Amino acid sequence: MTDAAPTFPADSPLAAEVLPSPNHGERVGVTRPDILLLHYTGLESTAQAVEWLRSPERQVSAHYVVFEDGRIIQLVPEARRAWHAGVSCWGGARDINSRSIGIEIANPGHDFGYPPFPAIQIEAVTALCKDILTRHPIPPDRVLAHSDVAPARKNDPGEKFPWEALHRFGVGHLVEETPPVDGRFFMRGEHGQPIEALQAMLALYGYEVPVSGTYCDQTEAVVRAFQRHFRRSRVDGIADVSTLQTLYRLCMSRPETDAGDA
């Protein structure tokens, strides 16, 4: 059934093969993508994941898949709206599929042992990201994890994904983590102005979080998502000094770039 999807020329010279998915549509409300969104496949085998992303019944897809050995395939043209983000939000925008290019990185994920990402695979992901960025001027702070835009639902690509390897080659926005130490921290159920300040910084960066002064379930999920991307040495949803300092330095070092179409 998936063989009926029309083929198309690869956008990236790094794509070894085009395996068209029928699961895509027109981008809505934007002239170009302004988010590069990274996922892991989260299934036991990569073959199963590719089949899933090409199945009309599943209604999901991504633009690219990067295999464990570094091989890259393209499923959806970059000009089209692939269906990979689901219910999500970043910087107040909710149709993340229209705004983004999605890369699925072959890894079974947290439900199936979550092995490390091979170096050859990360090299391929980095090269693909750099290639995409030559066609689409996506700001570094909008190279995001699926967990960033859907913190209550998604964990991928997770705390084992080496964002620093991409950052060394100019992909993404990152600061050096402040190491975790004992000391004051904030957690679910607490209230007050410091919680409001934490939420305001997270919202300023782009996360969907209420600025209420109450450390609610959503705040905990967002802090955990932040940690999976930016403070990966401990992922617990607790805003300790390390988390707060890393977040502050991330916000203060944010590139001054056009955030894209509204």
mmCIF file of all heavy atoms in Angstrom, residues 35-77:
data_model
loop_
_atom_site.group_PDB
_atom_site.id
_atom_site.type_symbol
_atom_site.label_atom_id
_atom_site.label_comp_id
_atom_site.label_asym_id
_atom_site.label_seq_id
_atom_site.Cartn_x
_atom_site.Cartn_y
_atom_site.Cartn_z
ATOM 1 N N ILE A 35 11.666 25.603 12.453
ATOM 2 C CA ILE A 35 12.044 24.697 13.541
ATOM 3 C C ILE A 35 12.615 23.425 12.917
ATOM 4 O O ILE A 35 12.069 22.908 11.934
ATOM 5 C CB ILE A 35 10.843 24.347 14.442
ATOM 6 C CG1 ILE A 35 10.400 25.565 15.267
ATOM 7 C CG2 ILE A 35 11.158 23.171 15.370
ATOM 8 C CD1 ILE A 35 9.132 25.335 16.066
ATOM 9 N N LEU A 36 13.703 22.940 13.480
ATOM 10 C CA LEU A 36 14.248 21.624 13.125
ATOM 11 C C LEU A 36 14.035 20.742 14.341
ATOM 12 O O LEU A 36 14.578 21.014 15.420
ATOM 13 C CB LEU A 36 15.726 21.742 12.775
ATOM 14 C CG LEU A 36 16.453 20.479 12.308
ATOM 15 C CD1 LEU A 36 15.737 19.821 11.139
ATOM 16 C CD2 LEU A 36 17.896 20.800 11.938
ATOM 17 N N LEU A 37 13.221 19.697 14.202
ATOM 18 C CA LEU A 37 12.770 18.905 15.343
ATOM 19 C C LEU A 37 13.352 17.495 15.276
ATOM 20 O O LEU A 37 13.172 16.785 14.287
ATOM 21 C CB LEU A 37 11.243 18.833 15.356
ATOM 22 C CG LEU A 37 10.586 18.436 16.677
ATOM 23 C CD1 LEU A 37 10.886 19.457 17.769
ATOM 24 C CD2 LEU A 37 9.085 18.274 16.510
ATOM 25 N N LEU A 38 14.043 17.104 16.338
ATOM 26 C CA LEU A 38 14.699 15.803 16.393
ATOM 27 C C LEU A 38 13.918 14.850 17.292
ATOM 28 O O LEU A 38 13.501 15.212 18.394
ATOM 29 C CB LEU A 38 16.132 15.942 16.910
ATOM 30 C CG LEU A 38 17.039 16.925 16.163
ATOM 31 C CD1 LEU A 38 18.482 16.755 16.623
ATOM 32 C CD2 LEU A 38 16.946 16.753 14.656
ATOM 33 N N HIS A 39 13.774 13.608 16.811
ATOM 34 C CA HIS A 39 13.045 12.556 17.493
ATOM 35 C C HIS A 39 13.937 11.314 17.595
ATOM 36 O O HIS A 39 14.921 11.191 16.870
ATOM 37 C CB HIS A 39 11.813 12.110 16.692
ATOM 38 C CG HIS A 39 10.889 13.191 16.249
ATOM 39 N ND1 HIS A 39 9.644 13.364 16.791
ATOM 40 C CD2 HIS A 39 11.009 14.137 15.279
ATOM 41 C CE1 HIS A 39 9.030 14.369 16.184
ATOM 42 N NE2 HIS A 39 9.845 14.852 15.260
ATOM 43 N N TYR A 40 13.553 10.356 18.413
ATOM 44 C CA TYR A 40 13.986 8.980 18.192
ATOM 45 C C TYR A 40 12.784 8.177 17.744
ATOM 46 O O TYR A 40 11.628 8.550 17.989
ATOM 47 C CB TYR A 40 14.695 8.364 19.388
ATOM 48 C CG TYR A 40 13.962 8.188 20.695
ATOM 49 C CD1 TYR A 40 12.625 7.778 20.781
ATOM 50 C CD2 TYR A 40 14.639 8.377 21.896
ATOM 51 C CE1 TYR A 40 11.993 7.565 21.991
ATOM 52 C CE2 TYR A 40 14.020 8.176 23.119
ATOM 53 C CZ TYR A 40 12.690 7.772 23.165
ATOM 54 O OH TYR A 40 12.062 7.578 24.367
ATOM 55 N N THR A 41 13.043 7.045 17.063
ATOM 56 C CA THR A 41 11.944 6.276 16.490
ATOM 57 C C THR A 41 11.104 5.584 17.560
ATOM 58 O O THR A 41 9.891 5.444 17.407
ATOM 59 C CB THR A 41 12.478 5.236 15.492
ATOM 60 O OG1 THR A 41 13.542 4.490 16.114
ATOM 61 C CG2 THR A 41 13.001 5.920 14.236
ATOM 62 N N GLY A 42 11.725 5.116 18.639
ATOM 63 C CA GLY A 42 10.977 4.587 19.764
ATOM 64 C C GLY A 42 10.295 3.251 19.521
ATOM 65 O O GLY A 42 9.360 2.899 20.245
ATOM 66 N N LEU A 43 10.747 2.497 18.531
ATOM 67 C CA LEU A 43 10.217 1.164 18.262
ATOM 68 C C LEU A 43 11.361 0.158 18.306
ATOM 69 O O LEU A 43 12.528 0.516 18.197
ATOM 70 C CB LEU A 43 9.500 1.123 16.922
ATOM 71 C CG LEU A 43 8.219 1.967 16.832
ATOM 72 C CD1 LEU A 43 7.704 2.002 15.397
ATOM 73 C CD2 LEU A 43 7.140 1.439 17.775
ATOM 74 N N GLU A 44 11.020 -1.121 18.433
ATOM 75 C CA GLU A 44 12.042 -2.147 18.645
ATOM 76 C C GLU A 44 13.003 -2.276 17.472
ATOM 77 O O GLU A 44 14.166 -2.615 17.655
ATOM 78 C CB GLU A 44 11.384 -3.491 18.946
ATOM 79 C CG GLU A 44 10.757 -3.554 20.331
ATOM 80 C CD GLU A 44 10.289 -4.935 20.685
ATOM 81 O OE1 GLU A 44 9.133 -5.257 20.373
ATOM 82 O OE2 GLU A 44 11.090 -5.700 21.262
ATOM 83 N N SER A 45 12.527 -2.025 16.250
ATOM 84 C CA SER A 45 13.415 -2.121 15.094
ATOM 85 C C SER A 45 13.225 -0.912 14.191
ATOM 86 O O SER A 45 12.137 -0.323 14.141
ATOM 87 C CB SER A 45 13.149 -3.401 14.296
ATOM 88 O OG SER A 45 11.959 -3.280 13.530
ATOM 89 N N THR A 46 14.281 -0.569 13.469
ATOM 90 C CA THR A 46 14.200 0.547 12.536
ATOM 91 C C THR A 46 13.289 0.207 11.366
ATOM 92 O O THR A 46 12.551 1.072 10.873
ATOM 93 C CB THR A 46 15.602 0.913 12.033
ATOM 94 O OG1 THR A 46 16.457 1.123 13.162
ATOM 95 C CG2 THR A 46 15.569 2.184 11.199
ATOM 96 N N ALA A 47 13.321 -1.038 10.931
ATOM 97 C CA ALA A 47 12.434 -1.446 9.836
ATOM 98 C C ALA A 47 10.976 -1.243 10.222
ATOM 99 O O ALA A 47 10.159 -0.780 9.416
ATOM 100 C CB ALA A 47 12.697 -2.909 9.471
ATOM 101 N N GLN A 48 10.644 -1.589 11.454
ATOM 102 C CA GLN A 48 9.286 -1.386 11.951
ATOM 103 C C GLN A 48 8.941 0.103 11.968
ATOM 104 O O GLN A 48 7.831 0.502 11.600
ATOM 105 C CB GLN A 48 9.164 -1.972 13.353
ATOM 106 C CG GLN A 48 7.779 -1.848 13.977
ATOM 107 C CD GLN A 48 7.750 -2.344 15.412
ATOM 108 O OE1 GLN A 48 8.787 -2.701 15.978
ATOM 109 N NE2 GLN A 48 6.565 -2.374 16.014
ATOM 110 N N ALA A 49 9.899 0.924 12.363
ATOM 111 C CA ALA A 49 9.667 2.364 12.413
ATOM 112 C C ALA A 49 9.410 2.939 11.021
ATOM 113 O O ALA A 49 8.501 3.761 10.833
ATOM 114 C CB ALA A 49 10.853 3.061 13.068
ATOM 115 N N VAL A 50 10.217 2.524 10.042
ATOM 116 C CA VAL A 50 10.030 3.023 8.683
ATOM 117 C C VAL A 50 8.667 2.601 8.145
ATOM 118 O O VAL A 50 7.950 3.399 7.526
ATOM 119 C CB VAL A 50 11.174 2.530 7.770
ATOM 120 C CG1 VAL A 50 10.880 2.870 6.316
ATOM 121 C CG2 VAL A 50 12.507 3.142 8.203
ATOM 122 N N GLU A 51 8.295 1.355 8.396
ATOM 123 C CA GLU A 51 6.975 0.887 7.966
ATOM 124 C C GLU A 51 5.870 1.724 8.615
ATOM 125 O O GLU A 51 4.893 2.105 7.967
ATOM 126 C CB GLU A 51 6.807 -0.591 8.326
ATOM 127 C CG GLU A 51 5.467 -1.167 7.895
ATOM 128 C CD GLU A 51 5.313 -2.636 8.259
ATOM 129 O OE1 GLU A 51 6.270 -3.228 8.798
ATOM 130 O OE2 GLU A 51 4.230 -3.189 8.000
ATOM 131 N N TRP A 52 6.035 2.000 9.892
ATOM 132 C CA TRP A 52 5.063 2.790 10.652
ATOM 133 C C TRP A 52 4.914 4.181 10.031
ATOM 134 O O TRP A 52 3.801 4.686 9.843
ATOM 135 C CB TRP A 52 5.551 2.896 12.094
ATOM 136 C CG TRP A 52 4.615 3.525 13.076
ATOM 137 C CD1 TRP A 52 4.367 4.851 13.230
ATOM 138 C CD2 TRP A 52 3.828 2.854 14.070
ATOM 139 N NE1 TRP A 52 3.489 5.055 14.267
ATOM 140 C CE2 TRP A 52 3.137 3.859 14.789
ATOM 141 C CE3 TRP A 52 3.663 1.511 14.424
ATOM 142 C CZ2 TRP A 52 2.276 3.555 15.848
ATOM 143 C CZ3 TRP A 52 2.806 1.219 15.472
ATOM 144 C CH2 TRP A 52 2.120 2.216 16.173
ATOM 145 N N LEU A 53 6.061 4.806 9.698
ATOM 146 C CA LEU A 53 6.051 6.171 9.167
ATOM 147 C C LEU A 53 5.520 6.248 7.735
ATOM 148 O O LEU A 53 5.229 7.335 7.251
ATOM 149 C CB LEU A 53 7.468 6.751 9.219
ATOM 150 C CG LEU A 53 8.030 6.990 10.622
ATOM 151 C CD1 LEU A 53 9.541 7.195 10.560
ATOM 152 C CD2 LEU A 53 7.359 8.185 11.286
ATOM 153 N N ARG A 54 5.405 5.105 7.072
ATOM 154 C CA ARG A 54 4.912 5.068 5.695
ATOM 155 C C ARG A 54 3.513 4.468 5.591
ATOM 156 O O ARG A 54 2.953 4.386 4.485
ATOM 157 C CB ARG A 54 5.868 4.267 4.818
ATOM 158 C CG ARG A 54 7.285 4.849 4.771
ATOM 159 C CD ARG A 54 8.163 4.032 3.831
ATOM 160 N NE ARG A 54 7.759 4.193 2.437
ATOM 161 C CZ ARG A 54 7.833 3.246 1.517
ATOM 162 N NH1 ARG A 54 8.284 2.036 1.845
ATOM 163 N NH2 ARG A 54 7.462 3.478 0.281
ATOM 164 N N SER A 55 2.923 4.093 6.711
ATOM 165 C CA SER A 55 1.617 3.444 6.698
ATOM 166 C C SER A 55 0.499 4.485 6.682
ATOM 167 O O SER A 55 0.420 5.321 7.592
ATOM 168 C CB SER A 55 1.460 2.555 7.933
ATOM 169 O OG SER A 55 0.120 2.152 8.094
ATOM 170 N N PRO A 56 -0.383 4.448 5.698
ATOM 171 C CA PRO A 56 -1.511 5.400 5.680
ATOM 172 C C PRO A 56 -2.387 5.269 6.918
ATOM 173 O O PRO A 56 -2.964 6.261 7.379
ATOM 174 C CB PRO A 56 -2.278 5.011 4.411
ATOM 175 C CG PRO A 56 -1.301 4.277 3.561
ATOM 176 C CD PRO A 56 -0.381 3.566 4.511
ATOM 177 N N GLU A 57 -2.483 4.067 7.462
ATOM 178 C CA GLU A 57 -3.326 3.864 8.629
ATOM 179 C C GLU A 57 -2.765 4.553 9.872
ATOM 180 O O GLU A 57 -3.518 4.965 10.757
ATOM 181 C CB GLU A 57 -3.493 2.362 8.908
ATOM 182 C CG GLU A 57 -4.324 1.604 7.876
ATOM 183 C CD GLU A 57 -3.556 1.315 6.600
ATOM 184 O OE1 GLU A 57 -2.303 1.358 6.629
ATOM 185 O OE2 GLU A 57 -4.219 1.067 5.575
ATOM 186 N N ARG A 58 -1.443 4.668 9.962
ATOM 187 C CA ARG A 58 -0.829 5.242 11.166
ATOM 188 C C ARG A 58 -0.926 6.764 11.201
ATOM 189 O O ARG A 58 -0.876 7.355 12.281
ATOM 190 C CB ARG A 58 0.646 4.825 11.247
ATOM 191 C CG ARG A 58 0.863 3.315 11.326
ATOM 192 C CD ARG A 58 0.248 2.721 12.548
ATOM 193 N NE ARG A 58 0.512 1.288 12.651
ATOM 194 C CZ ARG A 58 0.002 0.497 13.605
ATOM 195 N NH1 ARG A 58 -0.782 1.022 14.529
ATOM 196 N NH2 ARG A 58 0.290 -0.791 13.617
ATOM 197 N N GLN A 59 -0.992 7.393 10.033
ATOM 198 C CA GLN A 59 -1.135 8.853 9.972
ATOM 199 C C GLN A 59 0.014 9.597 10.658
ATOM 200 O O GLN A 59 -0.190 10.639 11.296
ATOM 201 C CB GLN A 59 -2.480 9.281 10.586
ATOM 202 C CG GLN A 59 -3.696 8.786 9.821
ATOM 203 C CD GLN A 59 -3.914 9.543 8.502
ATOM 204 O OE1 GLN A 59 -4.272 10.721 8.499
ATOM 205 N NE2 GLN A 59 -3.688 8.861 7.386
ATOM 206 N N VAL A 60 1.218 9.047 10.569
ATOM 207 C CA VAL A 60 2.408 9.719 11.080
ATOM 208 C C VAL A 60 3.509 9.628 10.027
ATOM 209 O O VAL A 60 3.490 8.743 9.166
ATOM 210 C CB VAL A 60 2.906 9.107 12.415
ATOM 211 C CG1 VAL A 60 1.905 9.357 13.539
ATOM 212 C CG2 VAL A 60 3.197 7.625 12.263
ATOM 213 N N SER A 61 4.458 10.551 10.108
ATOM 214 C CA SER A 61 5.572 10.547 9.157
ATOM 215 C C SER A 61 6.653 11.473 9.688
ATOM 216 O O SER A 61 6.503 12.106 10.740
ATOM 217 C CB SER A 61 5.109 11.023 7.768
ATOM 218 O OG SER A 61 4.615 12.358 7.839
ATOM 219 N N ALA A 62 7.738 11.561 8.966
ATOM 220 C CA ALA A 62 8.796 12.531 9.216
ATOM 221 C C ALA A 62 9.469 12.787 7.880
ATOM 222 O O ALA A 62 9.257 12.053 6.912
ATOM 223 C CB ALA A 62 9.798 12.000 10.241
ATOM 224 N N HIS A 63 10.275 13.817 7.831
ATOM 225 C CA HIS A 63 10.967 14.091 6.574
ATOM 226 C C HIS A 63 12.118 13.115 6.339
ATOM 227 O O HIS A 63 12.328 12.654 5.220
ATOM 228 C CB HIS A 63 11.474 15.535 6.572
ATOM 229 C CG HIS A 63 10.365 16.545 6.569
ATOM 230 N ND1 HIS A 63 9.818 17.042 7.738
ATOM 231 C CD2 HIS A 63 9.671 17.108 5.547
ATOM 232 C CE1 HIS A 63 8.846 17.884 7.428
ATOM 233 N NE2 HIS A 63 8.735 17.943 6.112
ATOM 234 N N TYR A 64 12.852 12.782 7.413
ATOM 235 C CA TYR A 64 14.035 11.933 7.283
ATOM 236 C C TYR A 64 14.072 10.893 8.402
ATOM 237 O O TYR A 64 13.548 11.111 9.498
ATOM 238 C CB TYR A 64 15.314 12.773 7.366
ATOM 239 C CG TYR A 64 15.497 13.748 6.238
ATOM 240 C CD1 TYR A 64 15.094 15.073 6.374
ATOM 241 C CD2 TYR A 64 16.079 13.351 5.031
ATOM 242 C CE1 TYR A 64 15.263 15.986 5.329
ATOM 243 C CE2 TYR A 64 16.247 14.260 3.988
ATOM 244 C CZ TYR A 64 15.834 15.574 4.143
ATOM 245 O OH TYR A 64 15.997 16.467 3.116
ATOM 246 N N VAL A 65 14.757 9.793 8.109
ATOM 247 C CA VAL A 65 15.137 8.797 9.118
ATOM 248 C C VAL A 65 16.637 8.579 8.995
ATOM 249 O O VAL A 65 17.160 8.407 7.880
ATOM 250 C CB VAL A 65 14.398 7.453 8.919
ATOM 251 C CG1 VAL A 65 14.877 6.435 9.951
ATOM 252 C CG2 VAL A 65 12.879 7.641 9.013
ATOM 253 N N VAL A 66 17.324 8.597 10.143
ATOM 254 C CA VAL A 66 18.763 8.322 10.175
ATOM 255 C C VAL A 66 18.969 6.983 10.886
ATOM 256 O O VAL A 66 18.628 6.847 12.070
ATOM 257 C CB VAL A 66 19.544 9.438 10.886
ATOM 258 C CG1 VAL A 66 21.038 9.124 10.858
ATOM 259 C CG2 VAL A 66 19.267 10.798 10.245
ATOM 260 N N PHE A 67 19.507 6.011 10.173
ATOM 261 C CA PHE A 67 19.700 4.669 10.714
ATOM 262 C C PHE A 67 20.903 4.632 11.662
ATOM 263 O O PHE A 67 21.735 5.536 11.681
ATOM 264 C CB PHE A 67 19.911 3.672 9.576
ATOM 265 C CG PHE A 67 18.667 3.367 8.782
ATOM 266 C CD1 PHE A 67 18.075 4.343 7.974
ATOM 267 C CD2 PHE A 67 18.080 2.112 8.833
ATOM 268 C CE1 PHE A 67 16.939 4.068 7.239
ATOM 269 C CE2 PHE A 67 16.938 1.825 8.106
ATOM 270 C CZ PHE A 67 16.365 2.806 7.303
ATOM 271 N N GLU A 68 21.008 3.528 12.400
ATOM 272 C CA GLU A 68 22.108 3.357 13.349
ATOM 273 C C GLU A 68 23.466 3.396 12.665
ATOM 274 O O GLU A 68 24.454 3.843 13.261
ATOM 275 C CB GLU A 68 21.954 2.034 14.106
ATOM 276 C CG GLU A 68 20.768 1.974 15.061
ATOM 277 C CD GLU A 68 19.506 1.409 14.416
ATOM 278 O OE1 GLU A 68 19.399 1.431 13.146
ATOM 279 O OE2 GLU A 68 18.620 0.964 15.149
ATOM 280 N N ASP A 69 23.533 2.928 11.416
ATOM 281 C CA ASP A 69 24.807 2.908 10.696
ATOM 282 C C ASP A 69 25.081 4.203 9.937
ATOM 283 O O ASP A 69 26.043 4.295 9.178
ATOM 284 C CB ASP A 69 24.867 1.717 9.740
ATOM 285 C CG ASP A 69 23.797 1.776 8.645
ATOM 286 O OD1 ASP A 69 23.017 2.761 8.599
ATOM 287 O OD2 ASP A 69 23.749 0.842 7.814
ATOM 288 N N GLY A 70 24.228 5.211 10.126
ATOM 289 C CA GLY A 70 24.424 6.501 9.481
ATOM 290 C C GLY A 70 23.713 6.672 8.158
ATOM 291 O O GLY A 70 23.726 7.773 7.588
ATOM 292 N N ARG A 71 23.075 5.625 7.666
ATOM 293 C CA ARG A 71 22.349 5.762 6.406
ATOM 294 C C ARG A 71 21.133 6.650 6.609
ATOM 295 O O ARG A 71 20.459 6.588 7.631
ATOM 296 C CB ARG A 71 21.910 4.388 5.885
ATOM 297 C CG ARG A 71 21.295 4.419 4.484
ATOM 298 C CD ARG A 71 21.225 3.019 3.899
ATOM 299 N NE ARG A 71 20.264 2.199 4.611
ATOM 300 C CZ ARG A 71 18.996 2.021 4.211
ATOM 301 N NH1 ARG A 71 18.551 2.602 3.113
ATOM 302 N NH2 ARG A 71 18.181 1.238 4.904
ATOM 303 N N ILE A 72 20.850 7.485 5.615
ATOM 304 C CA ILE A 72 19.750 8.449 5.691
ATOM 305 C C ILE A 72 18.759 8.169 4.578
ATOM 306 O O ILE A 72 19.149 7.969 3.422
ATOM 307 C CB ILE A 72 20.276 9.890 5.553
ATOM 308 C CG1 ILE A 72 21.227 10.235 6.705
ATOM 309 C CG2 ILE A 72 19.123 10.893 5.493
ATOM 310 C CD1 ILE A 72 22.010 11.520 6.492
ATOM 311 N N ILE A 73 17.476 8.130 4.916
ATOM 312 C CA ILE A 73 16.430 8.049 3.906
ATOM 313 C C ILE A 73 15.488 9.231 4.090
ATOM 314 O O ILE A 73 15.351 9.771 5.184
ATOM 315 C CB ILE A 73 15.644 6.721 3.963
ATOM 316 C CG1 ILE A 73 14.905 6.571 5.290
ATOM 317 C CG2 ILE A 73 16.556 5.534 3.708
ATOM 318 C CD1 ILE A 73 13.932 5.396 5.315
ATOM 319 N N GLN A 74 14.880 9.641 2.984
ATOM 320 C CA GLN A 74 13.894 10.717 3.029
ATOM 321 C C GLN A 74 12.523 10.148 2.734
ATOM 322 O O GLN A 74 12.346 9.348 1.807
ATOM 323 C CB GLN A 74 14.235 11.834 2.041
ATOM 324 C CG GLN A 74 13.302 13.037 2.173
ATOM 325 C CD GLN A 74 13.751 14.257 1.385
ATOM 326 O OE1 GLN A 74 14.769 14.223 0.699
ATOM 327 N NE2 GLN A 74 12.999 15.358 1.498
ATOM 328 N N LEU A 75 11.527 10.567 3.521
ATOM 329 C CA LEU A 75 10.162 10.067 3.380
ATOM 330 C C LEU A 75 9.194 11.117 2.845
ATOM 331 O O LEU A 75 8.205 10.777 2.190
ATOM 332 C CB LEU A 75 9.630 9.573 4.731
ATOM 333 C CG LEU A 75 10.458 8.538 5.493
ATOM 334 C CD1 LEU A 75 9.772 8.194 6.806
ATOM 335 C CD2 LEU A 75 10.670 7.287 4.660
ATOM 336 N N VAL A 76 9.446 12.381 3.169
ATOM 337 C CA VAL A 76 8.533 13.475 2.819
ATOM 338 C C VAL A 76 9.361 14.643 2.301
ATOM 339 O O VAL A 76 10.413 14.955 2.873
ATOM 340 C CB VAL A 76 7.702 13.916 4.053
ATOM 341 C CG1 VAL A 76 6.869 15.151 3.748
ATOM 342 C CG2 VAL A 76 6.807 12.777 4.534
ATOM 343 N N PRO A 77 8.940 15.307 1.222
ATOM 344 C CA PRO A 77 9.672 16.493 0.751
ATOM 345 C C PRO A 77 9.707 17.579 1.824
ATOM 346 O O PRO A 77 8.731 17.769 2.562
ATOM 347 C CB PRO A 77 8.859 16.947 -0.466
ATOM 348 C CG PRO A 77 8.067 15.759 -0.892
ATOM 349 C CD PRO A 77 7.773 14.989 0.354
#
